[in-house]
Amino acid sequence: GAASAMGQVATGMAMNYLGTTATATTAVASSYLTQLRYYFDVNNAYVTQKLKVLALPFRHKEWERTVGAHGRLQPPALDVNAPDLYVPLMAFTTYVLLVGFVMGAAGNFQPDVFGTTTSSGVVTVVLEVIAIKLAFYLLQGSRISILELLAFSGYKFLSVCLTLLAYQLPYQPWPGHAVLLYAGAAIGTFTAKSLRRSLVQDAGGFTPGFMTEGMGSPTKRDAWKKQNYGLVAVGLMQIPFVWYLSYVG
């Protein structure tokens, strides 16, 4: 009867809706997986070169990202300047284990040390990523990928591991302080120079952010000045971050 027909129509509409939703969800999930796959597309040569750049960013001259045949940025395996998430993830894992080892060697190991160390590291990275993304968006209208910022923020755990090890050497505190200053300066330089390439202006010039929208149309020089101040601030922030994360009480 009529009720049966209406039931069939309703069932058909529900099935169509579920099918459309499932297709959209699958497309979104596939897009995110594709992005993640890009940041984990590394090889041994890339990792070796990346570690050299992170250790000696002052000697690295070419910071430009390379573009492939289809106009897309090359993945990390083909471009040492491309950000990745493999090295930061390995560095973070090493950091958590190293803190446990150091505390165990000092006789201060607690079962929850891995959890608290992981939480502290994650919160530090998340707060830094939010601060950088918000600052450059408000001042400059820049929209840097969250995954890129996670990569740049995560590289600091290499400096943290080196600093943590240095503080275990004899004749403290000078060996630890020396490595802290160098490692902080190195990761600060690397982060600022890498972010600069991600913030290069389009041909259209400066895009005002929320805080600069009513200030007219600043010149390109003004735009670069604001950008440079922001990059210097990000670079300088790395030393206290490295100190905080490498402090094991």
Side-chain angles (χ1 to χ4, degrees):
S4 177
M6 289 181 64
Q8 290 180 358
V9 171
T11 302
M13 291 176 64
M15 293 298 291
N16 285 336
Y17 174 76
L18 289 174
T20 303
T21 303
T23 301
T25 303
T26 302
V28 171
S30 176
S31 173
Y32 279 122
L33 286 174
T34 300
Q35 290 183 51
L36 277 175
R37 195 177 299 119
Y38 170 89
Y39 289 99
F40 284 94
D41 183 3
V42 302
N43 53 32
N44 290 336
Y46 167 81
V47 172
T48 302
Q49 287 297 111
K50 195 70 169 189
L51 293 177
K52 289 180 181 177
V53 175
L54 287 163
L56 297 167
F58 318 104
R59 298 186 60 183
H60 190 61
K61 303 301 181 186
E62 184 54 64
W63 294 89
E64 291 282 351
R65 301 273 295 275
T66 58
V67 179
H70 301 289
R72 296 180 180 177
L73 292 171
Q74 296 277 38
L78 300 175
D79 180 12
V80 71
N81 292 321
D84 74 284
L85 288 170
Y86 174 80
V87 172
L89 183 59
M90 292 300 102
F92 180 71
T93 304
T94 303
Y95 162 68
V96 173
L97 296 174
L98 190 57
V99 169
F101 174 79
V102 169
M103 293 191 71
N108 299 324
F109 183 82
Q110 298 291 332
D112 62 345
V113 64
F114 295 121
T116 55
T117 303
T118 300
S119 300
S120 175
V122 169
V123 168
T124 300
V125 168
V126 169
L127 289 178
E128 182 183 23
V129 166
I130 291 173
I132 293 174
K133 188 167 181 65
L134 188 61
F136 281 109
Y137 175 72
L138 292 178
L139 290 172
Q140 200 169 324
S142 301
R143 292 173 175 81
I144 312 172
S145 162
I146 287 287
L147 292 177
E148 278 199 22
L149 289 177
L150 282 173
F152 291 137
S153 181
Y155 287 127
K156 73 165 56 63
F157 287 101
L158 287 166
S159 294
V160 174
C161 288
L162 290 174
T163 304
L164 187 54
L165 286 172
Y167 273 114
Q168 310 315 308
L169 296 173
Y171 308 109
Q172 290 300 326
W174 301 114
H177 288 351
V179 174
L180 167 63
L181 289 175
Y182 179 82
I187 194 61
T189 301
F190 170 84
T191 304
K193 286 183 175 291
S194 296
L195 275 176
R196 180 191 290 274
R197 303 321 310 164
S198 297
L199 289 168
V200 169
Q201 299 304 308
D202 296 328
F206 178 73
T207 303
F210 175 75
M211 291 177 65
T212 53
E213 207 166 10
M215 297 170 60
S217 201
T219 64
K220 194 170 184 179
R221 183 177 178 182
D222 292 333
W224 278 107
K225 190 180 294 185
K226 288 183 174 67
Q227 184 185 100
N228 288 335
Y229 288 151
L231 290 170
V232 168
V234 171
L236 291 175
M237 280 189 340
Q238 301 311 307
I239 294 178
F241 275 143
V242 172
W243 171 82
Y244 168 73
L245 291 168
S246 62
Y247 178 77
V248 179

